[in-house]
């Protein structure tokens, strides 16, 4: 998993391959529950990059993406947004988004 460190890096992180972006907050209970699920996903799906974005650290980016609640996950394929999901989801559900 990669934690976004600089806002200007966001576009570069999502430009190639399958990327799951997790908009989260450190104070969010469901976000804490989701974190080990995403860790497991990144271990089992080497082709899927998981990028975590702290909404309190990156407020402008969060606003631009229309994030109203956390956790919110955005799925990108080669830089194009293909799916947006709000709330906690289990491993099997998230993994199914990448099975083709």
């Amino acid at each position: 998993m990669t934690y976004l460190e600089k806002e200007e890096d966001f576009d570069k992180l999502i430009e190639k391959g399958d990327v799951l972006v997790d908009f989260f907050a450190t104070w969010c209970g469901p976000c804490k529950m989701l974190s080990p699920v995403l860790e497991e996903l990144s271990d089992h799906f080497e082709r899927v990059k998981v990028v975590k974005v702290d909404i309190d650290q990156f407020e402008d980016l969060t606003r631009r993406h229309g994030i109203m609640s956390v956790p919110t996950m955005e799925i990108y394929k080669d830089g194009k947004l293909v799916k947006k999901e709000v709330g906690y989801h289990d491993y099997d559900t998230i993994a199914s988004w990448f099975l083709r």
Side-chain angles (χ1 to χ4, degrees):
M1 283 198 303
T2 302
Y3 285 82
L4 184 66
E5 294 179 13
K6 294 186 284 185
E7 190 169 328
E8 56 269 18
D9 293 341
F10 183 82
D11 289 337
K12 187 113 179 110
L13 287 169
I14 66 165
E15 74 183 354
K16 288 186 180 143
D18 294 333
V19 182
L20 183 151
V21 178
D22 173 32
F23 287 89
F24 77 99
T26 56
W27 45 262
C28 163
C31 298
K32 292 176 185 174
M33 291 171 38
L34 183 61
S35 196
V37 173
L38 296 180
E39 191 75 49
E40 183 180 357
L41 182 88
S42 69
D43 289 345
H44 288 120
F45 286 83
E46 291 181 10
R47 67 180 170 81
V48 177
K49 185 187 322 177
V50 176
V51 177
K52 295 186 66 75
V53 177
D54 185 333
I55 63 163
D56 294 320
Q57 188 177 353
F58 297 101
E59 293 177 11
D60 289 342
L61 182 65
T62 299
R63 220 177 345 273
R64 279 200 310 278
H65 285 256
I67 307 301
M68 302 301 283
S69 56
V70 286
T72 294
M73 291 173 279
E74 293 183 338
I75 310 299
Y76 291 87
K77 295 204 186 284
D78 296 323
K80 303 229 183 308
L81 179 65
V82 295
K83 188 173 196 57
K84 190 171 192 169
E85 291 286 337
V86 177
Y88 172 84
H89 295 278
D90 63 22
Y91 176 86
D92 290 336
T93 300
I94 297 170
S96 74
W97 302 340
F98 296 99
L99 298 174
R100 35 182 143 115

